[in-house]
């Protein structure tokens, strides 16, 4: 434990609490924020990136700043979502409000950057701030004789399940030339909205507006966004034999490999795999292993994950968040300067 | 002797294996669902009602089958048969249609079936037979044999708008669902020895169809007496014996059979003192002690007091003991035994009976209660017919007297409907009056309805402060739920049946008597009095009556149990010996609590793995287990003669029975609690009360119902940590709650005192969202003067050509249309009634004046109209029902609870970004303060969280069944498998600072219930508002927009503090301030600066006082009391 103390600042995961190993060593927390040194130290490493998900490391940054991005993404990055439903007819068993609520939670493909925020909620829909959709569907008995015998609802009735794919876009004004249908509609075509039986009918007009997650969770651009500190695991004592296998199981897969040397087994730490440990701390179950390993976290190394809903690519979401922060700062500065 | 040993091992196996515990019968709990499949959860109600309409009603009619009259000796009516049909509804104009329960619910009708009789009677001199004559209508219990729902498939039930999971067992009367609660009372016709007013007494409450009476034998000083409510005084027991033809003192002593005769000498002397030596003398003595009757009997029937005493002794004293041709032998034996019990109890306290012992209790169910009521009203019906016959026959009439025309079915119909709808059970012949026998079935949640069906109400008054009847009786093990009882007043008096409890119905006694005689019992008539109390003899009782004597009690019991297991006699007959009383008790009466057990013979349970496999395959049913004698029902008394093992490991050579599943000792409500055996017991009791308030789903037909109040959860979920009971009661199909991810940590200080922190994003996504349905209804009356209520369309504003605001939601027909939003004070039905009631007979006024009486919506929060029902009710008047709906999101102050009696209100709703999150990015839905744990000791909740977490990562349900369930080690292992901490504690990051929290946070899913108490229904404030007319003080209560009372204690605070001006403001200025003129001269009140007494305005001054005070003064004046005020100047 001592040799770790002397190294870089770390948060040590003990059995019942988390402590700092050495508070005397100055960390990012103690330093005065200085753009130059920050620029020099700060580093972004993209680890994983696809259509919706993105995992990247923010290194050498203060947690409050990382948290700030997380918070902004959750609640201030704007997206489009269905917010107003005109119910012309609804004879299904689902209540109007519940139906509207469910429709609102359907993520839309529309790029929010191409729209404006609607200021006056009572104003008529405008092509700049509103997307209009239509959900017109009627359930009826399936006349198709090939499936007469079947007693599955899908075979017996037509349109017994209403999916998000049934939502049709109705362009307002010049929107038709600006967008294509698959650019604005629901991202997933198979979200079940409601179930119907013959005689049930839906005739709805849906209006999507732009807003942020503070207003309602449906406007949040992400399923979730979070970060964790980079784990740093040290094997202090050699672990051999059966204990090695036990130790391996105490961590997420890949963190520790058991190497065989003749008839001897011993545990080896996979240096760059430690980041995948999810701090389960199951080592503390075994009395004999407690002393052989030290689990800790790096103070200023954040593994940041964005799980986008799909309207915006994750990197764009992060960029938006940065822009918002920038705007906020500059507006604060102008405010301050106006006072002084 | 090595050879012998060898043969021994050959025959008996290796002696070492004897000590091996019996192998566990795996999955034997599957017998419980098999049992419930046959019996259902409310089988006791349905069984009892079926018994009544199929068997008992016939007996009642048979017992009262003949009606004669004094006016015409030829006249008679004889009922030859009675039949209860299937439920129908009378639609007027003689149209009779079959009906369904749901129809009756919606249309406010009674779900009842015609009772028809076949009769034979005389019309003049002719004898006429008629069949299928309607004498009344019987409300029909749902799912009983005559109900349209019985034996219907799920599809058929759905077609009738009925929920297939609905238990049935209740009635629908005037559209309301009514349950006849199970009534618990002391067993009738049994001797009960206890400490009475004067000392030891032995009392018997005899009850037959005709009579109900109580006979008490007690000791006073050193003499034995008998009291009975027909006698004015206590009567020395020896005189009673003499009156029933036991003349010699020796025989009396033999009948009593006490070795120490000296105890009886003072009693016997009494006779000699009073010079009573013959039966006549004794009867004459008794004749003088008879309570004088209030009404006089017609002169011809007057009997001598002696005859009357003889009659009463035969019929009323110990009424349950049959007396044939004045042969009192049986009664004498019984009375002798009663005296013996008293004498025994005098010397030895262990002879005292326990009144609270469940073997001495009987449950009265719907069937027996209705049968009492029906018999009473049927007698009244016959009496009415008789008096009509007596009145009309002597008259000379054109047509012949036909009694059928006078049979009005309304009497019986109305009596039954009235009894069930009010719950007032008044039975004149027993002078019985009970209130609150029925209750409206609570449909708050499925569980609350189910819980109500298993409720047992004790007859004991709740005001008396005796702990005995309220405390947990050891004999209620397995029969009544130990957890499910309300707190407070009715604590321990209202109980609930356990999961497998069955309540017996009456079984025919005749085959039992024959069996007893054939298995070595001497009939009581054959036994000499002296032999009764011989040391070897065991007296055999059947349902409280002495049947005979046996010396081979073991054989008798063995034969009975064998016959029962073979199915030769009813499964529910119980037999057990009492070595203390030297008696064998056989019971076949109704209302005994019993439950099934696996039979164990010679240390081996008869049910083995093979049977269970057959059960799983569906080859075997519960009935087969009964038929094959593998399982039997034991009642409380027989349970005490058995050696029952809880688990297989406890089975020993003496064991007679094995428990099927230990969790069945809990009831329906307690069955919801996961890991209840880890909780502090009151917590389970709290949850039992709260489970009934949780909203969720109430049935598959909930959307078709139009209840006065109905709560639904928008997204109900089955609990992740479930129990066997939950699956058995179908709670997982009709759940009432949601699996919320909780983090046990402190947050912000808005979580003190059990308050919860809710995640706003969770609420946005539908957590805790509920629907509240309410109905409004009105009926359109017709009046005798050809006028009727009418509905008009909406009032149109002429300028805008739109409906006025009040009528905004009305359709053209004047009734609110579905889908409309209605706001406070808007009209739902634009109804008006004719203002002048024209005297019938005069020509109706051509222009009838109408007065508006709209049905308006009264609630600050608006509602949507869900649907409208226009129909007619039983009286053929139009009925309009409007179902209104509100959707509510959780808000601060709404009440939530977990399943461990841990309730709390929402203290703060937090944005998702402020919520802590773990390394997987999971944000809790609820943050719960850890202070809720230490003092409550609800370890079950901790376990629920852990196994819920494992269940969610594993993708299956975990069990938290009572006395079983998933073990912590296994659950922890599963968590490790998925990379979680084995104790469920995770690293969390603060959502506010962004730094990791110092402590690990215990987090995972816990099933949370939203309770019906919501802020929106309770919020109340007022600045100005209505005042009461009389006192001019603000009105009281939220519904009247009343003021908030500054009560006595608050007033005391202000007085103590000395805030006098504050007092004046609160109590007068803000309440009923009033300026009055007071005359300084006479001290009386004046007005307008004028004193009417002094006829002057000279000394009148104006002061302020509470109007209540002024009212007092004037009211006193009205009673001729003058209160004079003396005014002094404040500044002097």
């Amino acid at each position: 434990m001592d040799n770790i103390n002397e190294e870089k600042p770390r948060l040590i995961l003990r059995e019942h609490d988390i402590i700092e190993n050495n508070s005397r060593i100055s960390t990012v927390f103690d330093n005065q924020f200085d753009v130059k040194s920050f620029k020099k130290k700060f580093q972004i490493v993209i680890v994983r990136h696809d259509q919706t998900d993105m995992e990247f490391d923010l290194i050498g940054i203060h947690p409050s700043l990382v948290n700030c991005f997380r918070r902004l993404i959750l609640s201030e990055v704007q997206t489009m979502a269905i917010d107003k439903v005109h119910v012309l007819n609804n004879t299904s068993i689902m209540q109007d409000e519940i139906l509207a609520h469910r429709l609102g939670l359907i993520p839309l493909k529309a790029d929010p950057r191409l729209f404006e925020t609607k200021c006056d909620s009572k104003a008529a829909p405008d092509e700049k701030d509103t997307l209009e959709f239509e959900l017109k569907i009627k359930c009826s008995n399936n006349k198709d004789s090939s499936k007469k015998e079947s007693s599955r609802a899908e075979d017996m009735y037509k349109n017994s399940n209403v999916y998000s794919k049934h939502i049709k876009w109705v362009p307002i004004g010049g929107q038709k030339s600006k967008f294509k249908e698959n650019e604005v509609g629901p991202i997933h075509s198979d979200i079940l909205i409601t179930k119907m039986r013959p005689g049930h009918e839906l005739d709805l007009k849906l209006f999507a507006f732009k807003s942020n997650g503070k207003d309602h969770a449906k406007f949040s651009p992400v399923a979730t966004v979070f970060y964790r500190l980079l784990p740093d695991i040290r094997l202090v004592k050699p672990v051999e034999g059966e204990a090695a296998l036990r130790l391996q199981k105490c961590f997420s897969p890949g963190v520790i490999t058991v190497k065989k040397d003749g008839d001897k087994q011993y545990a080896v730490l996979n240096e760059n795999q430690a980041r995948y440990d999810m701090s389960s701390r199951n080592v503390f179950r075994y009395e004999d292993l407690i002393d052989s390993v030290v689990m800790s976290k790096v103070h200023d190394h954040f593994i940041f994950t964005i799980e986008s809903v799909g309207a915006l690519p994750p990197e764009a979401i992060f960029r938006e968040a940065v822009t918002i922060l920038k705007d906020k700062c500059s507006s604060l500065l102008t405010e301050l300067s106006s006072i002084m | 002797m090595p050879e012998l040993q060898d043969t021994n091992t050959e025959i008996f196996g290796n002696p070492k294996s004897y000590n091996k515990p019996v192998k566990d019968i795996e999955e034997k709990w599957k017998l419980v669902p098999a049992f419930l499949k046959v019996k259902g959860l409310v089988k006791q109600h349905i069984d009892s009602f079926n018994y009544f309409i199929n068997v008992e009603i016939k007996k009642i009619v048979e017992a009262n089958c003949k009606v004669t009259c004094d006016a015409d000796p030829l006249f008679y009516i004889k009922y030859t048969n009675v039949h209860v049909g299937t439920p129908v509804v009378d639609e007027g104009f003689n149209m009779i249609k079959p009906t369904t329960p749901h129809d009756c619910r919606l249309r406010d009708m009674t779900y009842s079936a015609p009772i028809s009789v076949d009769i034979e009677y005389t019309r003049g001199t002719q004898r006429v037979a008629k069949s299928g004559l309607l004498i009344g209508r019987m409300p029909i219990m749902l799912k009983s044999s005559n109900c349209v729902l019985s034996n219907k498939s799920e599809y058929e039930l759905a077609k009738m708008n009925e929920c297939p999971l609905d238990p049935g067992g209740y009635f629908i009367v005037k559209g309301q669902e009514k349950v006849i609660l199970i009534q618990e009372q002391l067993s009738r016709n049994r001797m009960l020895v206890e400490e009475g007013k004067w000392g030891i007494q032995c009392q018997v409450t005899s009850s037959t169809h005709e009579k109900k009476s109580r006979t008490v034998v007690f000791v006073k000083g050193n003499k034995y007496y008998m009291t009975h409510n027909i006698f004015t005084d206590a009567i020395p027991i020896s005189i009673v014996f003499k009156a029933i033809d036991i003349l010699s003192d020796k025989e009396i002593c033999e009948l009593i059979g006490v070795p120490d005769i000296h105890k009886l000498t003072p009693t016997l002397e009494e006779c000699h003192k009073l010079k009573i030596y013959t039966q006549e003398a004794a009867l004459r003595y008794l004749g003088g002690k008879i309570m004088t009757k209030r009404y006089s009997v017609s002169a011809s029937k007057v009997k001598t007091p002696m005859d009357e005493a003889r009659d009463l002794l035969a019929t009323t004293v110990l009424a349950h003991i049959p007396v044939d041709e004045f042969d009192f032998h049986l009664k004498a034996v019984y009375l002798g035994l009663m005296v013996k019990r008293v004498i025994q109890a005098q010397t030895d306290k262990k002879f005292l009976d326990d009144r609270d012992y469940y073997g001495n209790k009987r449950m009265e169910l719907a069937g027996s209660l209705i049968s009492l009521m029906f018999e009473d009203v049927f007698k009244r019906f016959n009496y009415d017919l008789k008096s009509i016959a007596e009145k009309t026959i002597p008259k000379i009439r054109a047509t012949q007297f036909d009694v059928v025309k006078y049979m009005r079915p309304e009497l019986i119909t109305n009596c039954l409907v009235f009894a069930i709808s009010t719950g007032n059970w008044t039975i004149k012949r027993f002078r019985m009056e009970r209130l609150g026998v029925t209750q409206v079935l609570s449909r708050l949640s499925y569980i609350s309805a189910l819980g109500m069906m298993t409720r047992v109400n004790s007859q004991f008054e709740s005001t008396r402060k005796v702990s005995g009847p309220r405390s947990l009786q050891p004999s209620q093990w397995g029969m009544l739920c130990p957890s499910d009882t309300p707190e407070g007043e009715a604590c321990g008096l209202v109980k609930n049946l356990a999961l497998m409890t069955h309540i017996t119905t009456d079984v025919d006694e005749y085959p039992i008597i024959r069996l007893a005689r054939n298995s070595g019992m001497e009939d009581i008539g054959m036994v000499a009095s002296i032999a009764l109390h011989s040391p070897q003899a065991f007296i055999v009782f059947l349902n409280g009556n002495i049947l005979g004597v046996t010396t081979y009690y073991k054989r008798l019991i063995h034969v009975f149990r064998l016959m029962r297991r073979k199915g030769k006699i009813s499964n529910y007959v119980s037999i057990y010996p009492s070595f203390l009383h030297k008696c064998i008790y056989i019971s076949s009466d109704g209302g005994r609590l019993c439950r099934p057990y696996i039979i164990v013979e010679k240390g081996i349970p008869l049910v083995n793995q093979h049977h269970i496999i057959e059960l799983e395959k569906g080859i075997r049913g519960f009935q087969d287990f009964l038929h094959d004698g593998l399982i039997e029902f034991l009642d409380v008394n027989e349970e005490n003669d058995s050696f029952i093992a809880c688990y297989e490991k406890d089975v020993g050579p003496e064991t007679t029975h094995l428990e099927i599943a230990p969790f069945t000792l809990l009831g329906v409500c307690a069955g919801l609690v996961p890991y209840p055996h880890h909780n502090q017991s009151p917590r389970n009791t709290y949850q039992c009360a709260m489970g009934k308030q949780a909203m969720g789903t109430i049935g598959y037909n909930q959307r078709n119902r139009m209840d006065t109040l109905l709560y639904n959860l928008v997204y109900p979920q089955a609990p992740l940590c479930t129990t066997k009971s939950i699956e058995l009661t179908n709670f997982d199909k009709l759940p009432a709650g949601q699996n919320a991810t909780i983090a046990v940590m402190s947050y912000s200080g808005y979580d003190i005192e059990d308050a919860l922190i809710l995640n706003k994003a969770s609420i946005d996504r539908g957590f805790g969202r509920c629907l509240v349905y309410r109905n409004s209804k009105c009926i359109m009356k017709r009046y005798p003067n050809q006028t009727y209520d009418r509905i008009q369309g909406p009032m149109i504003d002429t300028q805008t050509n739109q409906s006025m605001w009040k009528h905004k939601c009305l359709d053209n027909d004047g009734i609110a249309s579905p889908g409309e939003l209605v706001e406070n004070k808007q009209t739902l039905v634009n109804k008006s009634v004719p203002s002048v009631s024209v005297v019938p007979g005069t020509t109706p006024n051509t222009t009838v004046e109408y007065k508006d009486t709209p049905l308006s919506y009264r609630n600050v929060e608006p509602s949507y109209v869900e649907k409208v029902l226009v129909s007619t009710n039983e009286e053929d008047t139009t009925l309009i029902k409007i179902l209104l709906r509100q959707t509510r999101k959780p808000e601060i102050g709404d009440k939530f609870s977990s399943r461990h009696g841990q309730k709390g209100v929402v203290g703060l709703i937090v944005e998702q970004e402020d919520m802590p999150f773990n390394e997987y990015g999971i944000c809790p839905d609820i943050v719960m303060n850890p202070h809720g744990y230490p003092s409550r000791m609800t370890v079950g909740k901790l376990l629920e969280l852990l196994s819920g977490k494992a269940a969610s990562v594993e993708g299956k349900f975990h069990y938290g069944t009572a006395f079983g369930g998933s073990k912590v080690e296994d659950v922890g292992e599963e968590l490790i498998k998925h990379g979680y901490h084995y104790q469920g504690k995770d690293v969390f990051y603060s959502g506010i600072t962004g730094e990791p929290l110092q402590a690990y946070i215990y987090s995972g899913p816990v099933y949370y219930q939203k309770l019906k108490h919501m802020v929106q229904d309770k919020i109340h404030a007022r600045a100005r508002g209505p005042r009461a007319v009389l006192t001019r003080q603000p009105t009281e209560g939220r519904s009247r927009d009343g003021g908030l009372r500054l009560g006595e204690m608050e007033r005391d605070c202000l007085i103590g503090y000395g805030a006098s001006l504050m007092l004046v403001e609160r109590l007068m200025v803000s309440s009923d301030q009033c300026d009055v003129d007071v005359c300084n001269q006479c001290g009386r009140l004046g007005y307008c600066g004028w004193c009417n007494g002094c006829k002057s305005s000279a000394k009148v001054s104006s002061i302020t006082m509470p109007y209540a005070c002024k009212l007092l003064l004037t009211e006193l004046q009205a009673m001729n009391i003058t209160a004079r005020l003396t005014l002094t100047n404040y500044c002097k």
Side-chain angles (χ1 to χ4, degrees), chain A residues 176-275:
Chain A
K176 200 166 188 175
S177 53
K178 243 165 114 186
F179 309 107
K180 286 193 197 107
E181 167 123 29
N182 57 358
E183 277 176 0
V184 290
I187 295 163
H188 307 280
S189 62
D190 56 350
I191 299 175
L192 182 65
I193 297 167
T194 184
K195 292 194 176 184
M196 300 203 295
R197 284 294 174 268
H200 289 176
E201 192 181 345
L202 285 182
D203 187 357
L204 312 173
K205 265 190 175 161
L206 322 171
F207 298 95
F209 305 126
K210 188 179 171 185
S211 184
N212 58 26
K214 240 185 217 165
D215 183 15
H216 192 282
K218 68 186 171 189
F219 291 112
S220 186
V222 288
T224 188
V225 54
F226 63 99
Y227 58 81
R228 60 199 175 93
L229 290 168
L230 179 79
D232 184 13
I233 297 161
R234 295 282 161 88
L235 272 176
V236 187
K237 275 197 279 185
V239 181
E240 288 172 351
E242 170 268 343
L245 286 172
R246 268 192 289 137
L247 186 75
Q248 189 184 23
K249 279 193 181 144
C250 291
F251 294 93
S252 301
V255 175
I256 284 180
T257 44
V258 177
K259 280 204 175 147
K260 273 195 181 158
D261 187 12
D263 54 342
K264 251 171 73 182
Q265 295 182 322
Y266 59 95
V268 181
L269 196 74
N270 274 356
E271 273 307 324
N272 44 3
Q273 295 293 309
R275 63 178 284 121

Side-chain angles (χ1 to χ4, degrees), chain B residues 98-112:
Chain B
T99 185
T100 60
H102 197 71
D103 219 30
C104 295
R105 267 181 218 134
L106 288 181
R107 291 176 57 192
D108 288 356
M109 295 190 303
T110 304
Y111 186 62
S112 59

Side-chain angles (χ1 to χ4, degrees), chain B residues 49 87 157 189 248 553 676 690 755 786 861 1055 1057 1085:
Chain B
F49 189 73
L157 288 173
N189 303 347
S248 75
Y553 77 93
M690 263 181 311
Q786 301 304 307
E861 289 295 320
I1055 293 171
Y1057 191 73
L1085 300 183

